[in-house]
Amino acid sequence: MEQFEPVPSAKVQEAETEPPGRWILEAAGEDITEVFGMDDRVPVADPLLTFLQVPLELEAYRTFAAECQHAMGLKPESLAVHLVYGKWRQPYACIFGLLPDQQADSLNQFGQELARYGTFVLRRLSDPAKNLGFAVLDSHTLLVGKVDFLDRVLRQRATTENPSKSSQHPLADVVHDAQRFQVFFLGEAHSVYPIFGAKRLAGFPKLVGLLETLQQRSETFCAGWFLSSDQIKLTFRLSCRQKEDAASLHDQLEKLRLEALEKAKSIEKEESLLVKITPAGMTAEEWLPTIKTVSSCFERTTVSVEETVVAIEWSPAQQPGFIQNVEATGEALARLWHALAAVQSFVHAEKFGGSLNRYAEHQRGFPRAVSGGDLLPPETRLSWISELLPYLGYPEWSKGLQPGYSWNAPQNQPVTQRFLPEVTNPLLGATQHVPGYYDTHIVGVTGVGPDSGNLPPSSPRAGLFNFRQPVTREDVKDGLSNTLALLPVENLLGPWAAGGTPTARALTTPPYVKGPDGFGSALPDGMLAVMADGSVRFIRRDVDPRIMEQLATIGGGEAVNLETIAPPWASNSLGGQQSVQPELRTSGREVPARTTRCRPGDTPCGCESTAHGLAANNIATQLKVELHIESWPEIPLGLALARLTEWSSIPLAVDPETLLWENTSDLGTVILQPGKKTIQQILEEIAAQRGWTVLPCGNLVVLCRPERVNNNIIYRISRLPGDVSDRLLQTIIATLDNTPEQPGKALEYHSNNNEQVLQGPFIHILTIRTLLEQRYPPQSLAKAAEQYSALGQPISLNYYEPTPFIEIIATLNRLSQPQILVDWPMLLSEEVHPTMPITCSANNEPYLNVVQRLAETINATVYILSEKILLITRSDRFDRPYLRAYSLKEVLQQGLTVGALRERILQECHPQNWYERGGIGRIFFTEDGQTAIIYQDAPTQNEIQQFLQRLSRGSQ
């Protein structure tokens, strides 16, 4: 049992009349950094507590207060207020203020008496494990807390010669007024930075600089949440040393408030800015209320100065439901903070990736896992981060290190004890697991297995960071973009300057995201990763451990499908995590933000709705025009549509994607029953014969499958090609489901032993179907005419005078077996309309030459949908992305690994079109690595085909 000496009562008489909060604060000195008071019966306190929970670690205070209250047997309804004293995360004591009808004197019968300090008696409570004691300060005030702390406070107070004249804390008097606050904090200025700076602002230089100024110029701060019958207000007061300090601090804070307000207002007005910072899983419209709430918060904030005190005050809009307004503001600020912190995490990772690559270029290799002192154990040596300091912008730090000494040697402490923002994850804050040394939240990957860091680079388990020797770029056989360099950590943390596990570690025990090895970004759905080429990717939490192991090695030679398990961090990609992503950059090169745009074929009506010729609002009227059909027995569909277009002046088209889905070789004929019918009825009769629907599209009409209108179709897969496994198909489906080109219903895939069923957006399902059935997009007439003998038949035309374009089309469809369709949704956007005057003549010329010349007259292209179906359309009509399989057997025989081949394709075949550079291109590999399935647009696919042919011939 501890021994406590009694103190004569004469020396504490004056203290009995003083507010307990004042003298405890004074007696405790610098051990008091926060004071927390909360009235649980006031509901408005909860929203603020929710927002402040993370930076102030309030849960520790609330838990401690509850423990003290329970230990004393105090009922909540007997308390007027309670104050909790302590350092950040370390509560020491509570003052409980009882209601007027309650008495504290009777509590002196509890516990074991330890010591007397005049009229005060320190008593220990019965549970020795908690080491709690208490003292009755007056009839309505009770002090409960850690025994050693209470002893020091009571002893110091009792031995003060003249407590009434002792030096007062600059804001000590406000403690006595804490009962009018629902939440109240008071602390020394030096505690502001480690609390707010480390937890909320690490890595934000401008705000950190402001906090440092605050720390230099002010002594004390207090914050209170005030509630009365007609007013609610949050107040933050800073007591400065001099008037000049207060004025300067006021100017900085007001400037920051105005800049933040201006930025929020600009985001409200500019859609591009709003889209850029919208978190994943939300639309810009859903995020806008948060920005407006934050903007309102800055508008309703005032910064004032009086003498040496700077005051910041905020109050919500005075309206019914103001409690909800407070809650909304707190939630909005928390969401915005999380979004900004996630962005800053990316910025740190990106900076490390660029620095690592610059190091590799200058040093002709990546840094070793540890630096200097080869005779010392790795865990005592400086880390690889110390080698990177000049490339991170800290050349003077690097000069101050002595590699021959351990990382924590006195010779290195002036540098190794510094805070390094780039290694700090703002979502975790600045942490110290070794007192005096800041942790790193990013580590180098040594490979797979505990011994991987000591294996030679040629080992299939070796990673980019090696304890024995530097790894060169040539050692990375799997390709830099396919190899993990750095991973974030949120557990098993250690100093950034220390060698060994704190800064370089292997994958040893799955799961590898938020698992035993400590990897994680403090994001619930996954983590950021820096690849060896400097790109930053997001790895989902449910990643297959085998894939992670393949990524962690530099020469395993495995075929890894990076596209779904680790997509590059781009706008709205963070695996469902509600976080903002900045514009993507790769290896130091700026990449434009990925945008959604309409591509030809996305919708049956086309991407442009501008009316040409006949006004769009007259289409409905024209469809009601009646025609008398005498007899139309089995007329070719192409001819029927051309004639109806000619007679009605309505551009009539067939959706090309409908024809590609049905994979028909012939348009066939239509049969119309005689009688008087409207154009609408005739079209519906034609459509019904094929199971199609009639779709008015502004100033034209399209015949198509109903699934095109609904943008949802079911595909029953008869069989999978031999090189496409069920697992690979699911990977491709997941990737297409995350592309922005086709909004609407998500892709759904169901597989069992008997059947595979795929359902979702029409274009995505069509894309997958053409892959599985080994079909490719239509080719132009100029490229593929020789494959179709029917296109070579001779015909003659005599349109020497300008003739409506649609009349010539009708004639060609009447004279020849192949039928010509006109893609009006595309051609109308190019100012081509049915009545455009055209001349076209031919004398026994091959059919294909005549059709080609006709298309060139209107700057169009002819595509072959089948031997008997031609389409006149725009030249880029079928450039949209599709899936194509390529055999890699001959290419890999030239000595390339799958990873290295992937890297070369991305670098040499239209680099701007790949997902890593803001495009849409993705590469998938079969499990044996012998086949690549590539999702790209048609021009890039053509380039890839030629590139692989060159490689297979041995041409590098």
Side-chain angles (χ1 to χ4, degrees):
M1 172 179 164
E2 297 129 306
Q3 298 296 317
F4 297 97
E5 297 180 7
V7 178
S9 59
K11 299 203 174 184
V12 296
Q13 293 302 313
E14 292 182 68
E16 296 177 19
T17 60
E18 293 187 40
R22 176 183 295 186
W23 63 258
I24 290 183
L25 178 67
E26 174 193 339
E30 291 189 355
D31 283 310
I32 299 297
T33 55
E34 280 87 42
V35 180
F36 167 64
M38 195 273 288
D39 186 345
D40 289 308
R41 291 166 298 179
V42 182
V44 76
D46 288 338
L48 184 67
L49 290 176
T50 300
F51 175 59
L52 295 176
Q53 181 69 42
V54 175
L56 296 179
E57 300 288 346
L58 294 187
E59 191 59 36
Y61 288 84
R62 303 187 80 176
T63 301
F64 181 75
E67 288 180 356
C68 292
Q69 181 180 324
H70 178 73
M72 293 300 303
L74 298 174
K75 296 181 179 179
E77 55 268 23
S78 67
L79 299 177
V81 68
H82 66 255
L83 303 178
V84 182
Y85 291 82
K87 285 186 176 180
W88 184 31
R89 299 181 179 177
Q90 299 175 3
Y92 294 148
C94 295
I95 288 183
F96 292 103
L98 306 184
L99 292 171
D101 60 345
Q102 303 292 319
Q103 293 292 320
D105 297 333
S106 60
L107 297 174
N108 267 324
Q109 60 182 314
F110 297 112
Q112 175 188 4
E113 181 177 331
L114 297 178
R116 288 180 175 269
Y117 309 88
T119 58
F120 302 141
V121 179
L122 175 61
R123 311 182 73 88
R124 185 196 296 276
L125 292 172
S126 58
D127 188 349
K130 294 183 178 180
N131 192 32
L132 292 177
F134 74 96
V136 175
L137 304 182
D138 59 36
S139 60
H140 293 91
T141 310
L142 186 67
L143 176 63
V144 186
K146 302 293 184 181
V147 170
D148 54 350
F149 176 76
L150 299 188
D151 170 58
R152 180 165 58 85
V153 169
L154 294 171
R155 183 184 302 279
Q156 184 176 352
R157 181 61 182 175
T159 55
T160 301
E161 290 297 331
N162 193 351
S164 63
K165 295 182 180 180
S166 60
S167 60
Q168 293 296 306
H169 200 293
L171 295 177
D173 57 309
V174 299
V175 180
H176 187 50
D177 298 327
Q179 292 189 47
R180 68 188 180 95
F181 291 94
Q182 277 65 57
V183 181
F184 179 78
F185 305 92
L186 186 145
E188 303 288 350
H190 64 75
S191 69
V192 175
Y193 182 83
I195 295 171
F196 288 95
K199 201 65 180 177
R200 288 276 184 176
L201 305 176
F204 294 86
K206 192 169 185 178
L207 295 179
V208 169
L210 176 64
L211 284 181
E212 290 174 345
T213 301
L214 184 155
Q215 186 168 317
Q216 294 167 2
R217 299 183 179 180
S218 65
E219 295 180 326
T220 311
F221 78 93
C222 74
W225 185 251
F226 176 78
L227 175 66
S228 67
S229 58
D230 60 350
Q231 188 180 30
I232 182 169
K233 183 180 294 185
L234 174 64
T235 301
F236 190 87
R237 300 179 68 202
L238 298 158
S239 175
C240 298
R241 297 181 177 90
Q242 302 178 28
K243 291 183 179 180
E244 294 78 6
D245 292 334
S248 174
L249 189 58
H250 166 271
D251 293 344
Q252 290 187 60
L253 288 168
E254 179 63 7
K255 180 181 178 182
L256 185 64
R257 184 189 73 85
L258 292 175
E259 288 177 353
L261 177 59
E262 181 181 4
K263 183 67 174 178
K265 289 293 185 184
S266 65
I267 293 173
E268 283 186 51
K269 296 176 182 178
E270 297 183 33
E271 185 178 356
S272 60
L273 290 176
L274 180 64
V275 170
K276 183 178 177 181
I277 70 162
T278 298
M282 296 182 70
T283 64
E285 291 74 16
E286 291 170 335
W287 183 241
L288 182 59
T290 294
I291 299 301
K292 288 184 175 180
T293 302
V294 172
S295 176
S296 174
C297 177
F298 289 125
E299 280 185 322
R300 301 188 65 82
T301 299
T302 61
V303 183
S304 60
V305 61
E306 183 177 351
E307 297 294 328
T308 60
V309 176
V310 178
I312 307 168
E313 292 186 337
W314 171 81
S315 59
Q318 299 300 310
Q319 58 184 11
F322 67 88
I323 292 180
Q324 288 77 11
N325 183 273
V326 173
E327 186 171 8
T329 301
E331 291 175 352
L333 290 171
R335 284 195 300 268
L336 183 61
W337 161 253
H338 194 279
L340 294 175
V343 170
Q344 197 66 22
S345 297
F346 171 86
V347 172
H348 290 174
E350 179 192 54
K351 185 174 182 179
F352 253 105
S355 301
L356 190 63
N357 267 266
R358 289 193 297 274
Y359 180 98
E361 290 174 2
H362 295 163
Q363 304 296 331
R364 298 184 178 180
F366 296 95
R368 284 196 299 172
V370 288
S371 173
D374 287 346
L375 298 179
L376 297 174
E379 59 272 13
T380 65
R381 293 156 65 181
L382 288 165
S383 72
W384 61 270
I385 297 175
S386 68
E387 293 280 335
L388 231 61
L389 288 174
Y391 302 89
L392 290 169
Y394 302 95
E396 296 304 317
W397 290 26
S398 179
K399 294 177 183 178
L401 292 173
Q402 298 187 38
Y405 292 92
S406 63
W407 64 269
N408 56 354
Q411 293 84 350
N412 287 322
Q413 286 179 357
V415 174
T416 59
Q417 289 187 329
R418 293 178 183 174
F419 173 68
L420 183 59
E422 287 78 5
V423 302
T424 303
N425 180 349
L427 292 169
L428 293 173
T431 57
Q432 291 187 1
H433 282 71
V434 176
Y437 298 88
Y438 288 99
D439 295 334
T440 177
H441 299 144
I442 192 166
V443 300
V445 179
T446 64
V448 178
D451 61 340
S452 59
N454 292 304
L455 297 174
S458 58
S459 169
R461 291 194 294 110
L464 197 71
F465 284 83
N466 193 287
F467 288 105
R468 296 183 179 275
Q469 64 186 86
V471 171
T472 66
R473 289 185 170 183
E474 291 71 25
D475 292 328
V476 187
K477 305 298 183 184
D478 287 342
L480 298 175
S481 63
N482 307 307
T483 303
L484 288 171
L486 309 174
L487 285 177
V489 286
E490 57 188 25
N491 286 308
L492 307 178
L493 304 178
W496 65 261
T501 303
T503 51
R505 67 183 67 172
L507 276 64
T508 64
T509 308
Y512 294 122
V513 183
K514 293 186 176 295
D517 291 333
F519 298 114
S521 289
L523 297 168
D525 297 330
M527 65 181 178
L528 295 173
V530 179
M531 310 305 286
D533 68 342
S535 62
V536 180
R537 289 179 173 267
F538 182 80
I539 299 181
R540 293 198 298 269
R541 187 172 184 173
D542 60 357
V543 62
D544 187 330
R546 293 174 299 176
I547 300 294
M548 281 293 291
E549 292 166 3
Q550 292 167 357
L551 293 174
T553 59
I554 61 176
E558 307 90 351
V560 182
N561 287 315
L562 285 172
E563 273 59 30
T564 56
I565 57 96
W569 185 328
S571 182
N572 290 336
S573 71
L574 213 126
Q577 168 61 28
Q578 311 292 294
S579 302
V580 177
Q581 295 89 41
E583 293 181 0
L584 176 67
R585 297 178 179 85
T586 304
S587 301
R589 301 184 299 270
E590 265 198 38
V591 179
R594 186 173 289 102
T595 57
T596 302
R597 65 184 180 91
C598 181
R599 298 177 183 274
D602 276 355
T603 66
C605 293
C607 299
E608 299 184 25
S609 58
T610 305
H612 298 270
L614 184 66
N617 58 4
N618 288 333
I619 288 291
T621 303
Q622 290 298 106
L623 287 173
K624 295 177 181 178
V625 172
E626 291 185 337
L627 297 177
H628 184 73
I629 304 296
E630 293 184 358
S631 177
W632 240 6
E634 298 192 30
I635 185 172
L637 176 61
L639 175 59
L641 293 178
R643 288 301 186 204
L644 288 171
T645 298
E646 184 180 359
W647 297 338
S648 67
S649 299
I650 301 174
L652 303 176
V654 175
D655 172 44
E657 277 63 36
T658 290
L659 298 175
L660 293 176
W661 180 269
E662 296 179 352
N663 196 24
T664 182
S665 61
D666 191 343
L667 284 176
T669 59
V670 297
I671 301 175
L672 295 180
Q673 298 300 320
K676 201 172 185 179
K677 305 176 183 180
T678 64
I679 298 293
Q680 176 79 37
Q681 290 171 331
I682 295 172
L683 292 176
E684 289 175 350
E685 192 173 338
I686 293 173
Q689 294 176 30
R690 284 163 171 73
W692 296 349
T693 189
V694 179
L695 178 63
C697 298
N699 57 343
L700 60 99
V701 174
V702 175
L703 304 184
C704 62
R705 292 180 65 95
E707 297 93 338
R708 275 287 269 164
V709 180
N710 301 331
N711 195 28
N712 184 37
I713 195 166
I714 297 175
Y715 173 44
R716 301 186 185 280
I717 303 171
S718 58
R719 67 177 183 85
L720 293 177
D723 53 358
V724 179
S725 65
D726 187 79
R727 180 173 178 174
L728 177 58
L729 178 59
Q730 292 187 50
T731 298
I732 294 172
I733 291 170
T735 302
L736 292 182
D737 201 26
N738 286 324
T739 58
E741 289 89 6
Q742 280 289 307
K745 184 177 176 65
L747 283 166
E748 296 180 7
Y749 177 64
H750 304 285
S751 175
N752 54 47
N753 295 330
N754 301 320
E755 185 181 46
Q756 286 117 349
V757 178
L758 187 58
Q759 181 176 0
F762 188 96
I763 288 296
H764 284 343
I765 303 295
L766 177 61
T767 300
I768 295 171
R769 180 179 181 179
T770 53
L771 168 72
L772 299 181
E773 297 179 1
Q774 300 178 333
R775 293 192 274 135
Y776 298 110
Q779 291 184 292
S780 67
L781 182 64
K783 293 181 179 179
E786 64 277 5
Q787 301 176 24
Y788 302 97
S789 58
L791 300 178
Q793 61 180 349
I795 63 168
S796 296
L797 285 177
N798 296 304
Y799 289 104
Y800 297 105
E801 298 295 328
T803 304
F805 172 63
I806 194 61
E807 183 177 333
I808 299 175
I809 294 295
T811 300
L812 287 170
N813 284 341
R814 178 174 56 82
L815 293 176
S816 62
Q817 190 178 35
Q819 293 289 286
I820 300 173
L821 296 174
V822 182
D823 191 3
W824 292 117
M826 297 293 290
L827 293 186
L828 288 176
S829 67
E830 301 298 320
E831 303 292 338
V832 177
H833 50 82
T835 58
M836 176 178 282
I838 300 292
T839 60
C840 185
S841 61
N843 184 19
N844 282 329
E845 288 187 46
Y847 175 82
L848 62 91
N849 291 349
V850 177
V851 176
Q852 184 71 29
R853 191 164 65 248
L854 176 64
E856 290 173 353
T857 304
I858 58 173
N859 295 318
T861 299
V862 182
Y863 278 92
I864 304 174
L865 302 187
S866 74
E867 188 171 4
K868 296 182 180 180
I869 306 175
L870 302 181
L871 180 71
I872 296 181
T873 184
R874 221 166 60 187
S875 60
D876 64 345
R877 179 59 176 81
F878 297 104
D879 283 356
R880 64 168 299 108
Y882 69 98
L883 289 162
R884 180 166 183 169
Y886 297 89
S887 173
L888 304 180
K889 185 176 181 180
E890 294 182 0
V891 176
L892 297 179
Q893 288 175 351
Q894 304 301 319
L896 284 173
T897 65
V898 173
L901 174 62
R902 178 187 183 278
E903 197 163 78
R904 288 196 61 181
I905 292 175
L906 266 60
Q907 292 173 351
E908 301 181 38
C909 300
H910 296 186
Q912 74 279 2
N913 288 351
W914 297 99
Y915 195 82
E916 285 80 349
R917 297 297 304 276
I920 46 81
R922 308 290 188 96
I923 302 180
F924 309 91
F925 295 99
T926 55
E927 293 180 5
D928 60 4
Q930 297 297 301
T931 302
I933 297 174
I934 298 180
Y935 180 69
Q936 258 297 5
D937 58 33
T940 307
Q941 295 279 22
N942 294 334
E943 178 67 25
I944 294 168
Q945 185 179 22
Q946 296 173 20
F947 174 72
L948 293 177
Q949 288 173 350
R950 292 196 302 271
L951 289 182
S952 64
R953 294 193 299 265
S955 175
Q956 299 297 315

